[in-house]
Amino acid sequence: MAKLNVNGKARDYQADDGTPLLWVLREQLGLTGAKYGCGIAQCGTCTVLIDGVPTRSCVRTAASVKPTEKIVTIEGLSPDGSHPVQKAWVALDVPQCGFCQTGMIMAATALLNAKPNPTDRDIDDAMTNICRCGTYNRVRAAIKSVAAGGANKTDAAGIIHVDRSAS
Ligand code: FES
Ligand code: FES
């Protein structure tokens, strides 16, 4: 039996050394927020934070994560969806199908923790997640909304309008 620190708790798991962290989170610990998309570190839908660093859990093995390293999944961001990034996502209706969105939220959270007022370039560099529904403009607007101090639908709509007319 091995241990991981997930969402503030020590959790036991049992898996071969090559087992991806994503499988342990989903199948042994019941944390199904992180999704399986590509399995090759491209799409980002499996993103969790490890000591604050956005990590693609489909290619990181569970065995490579030390019990002292702190894993945070979308379930650990807040107990009730009240994290500022989650609130902005809801207020701005960011998701379409939603499949990519937990990864997006985790990547955005890491970005905003590191850079509370990110530039467009910072957002471009950090948000490498793929969204097949094309929610990129609303993701950007939500990040800017959090940076501005809260979700404001009117302001965010303005940001979306500017982005669309520029493309
Ligand atoms: S499933 Fe991990 S990056 Fe796509
Ligand atoms: S919301 Fe559907 S893939 Fe991103």
Side-chain angles (χ1 to χ4, degrees), residues 1-106:
M1 197 69 81
K3 281 194 188 302
L4 290 170
N5 184 312
V6 185
N7 298 332
K9 291 185 183 153
R11 302 289 303 268
D12 294 324
Y13 75 97
Q14 195 152 26
D16 294 340
D17 281 353
T19 303
L21 174 62
L22 180 62
W23 297 146
V24 171
L25 293 172
R26 289 181 58 85
E27 297 184 1
Q28 295 198 33
L29 306 186
L31 299 167
T32 55
K35 302 287 188 283
Y36 177 79
C38 63
I40 54 171
Q42 295 298 302
C43 72
T45 194
C46 62
T47 301
V48 299
L49 306 186
I50 300 179
D51 283 348
V53 178
T55 302
R56 294 187 172 181
S57 62
C58 67
V59 292
R60 179 78 187 262
T61 63
S64 72
V65 183
K66 298 185 186 80
T68 51
E69 291 181 293
K70 293 181 171 56
I71 300 167
V72 177
T73 70
I74 187 87
E75 292 89 346
L77 218 49
S78 71
D80 54 2
S82 62
H83 187 282
V85 176
Q86 292 173 305
K87 285 170 73 174
W89 247 245
V90 171
L92 276 66
D93 295 326
V94 173
Q96 290 272 327
C97 78
F99 195 81
C100 72
Q101 295 295 327
T102 53
M104 288 280 191
I105 288 171
M106 299 312 286

Side-chain angles (χ1 to χ4, degrees), residues 103-114:
M104 288 280 191
I105 288 171
M106 299 312 286
T109 298
L111 168 63
L112 286 158
N113 284 342

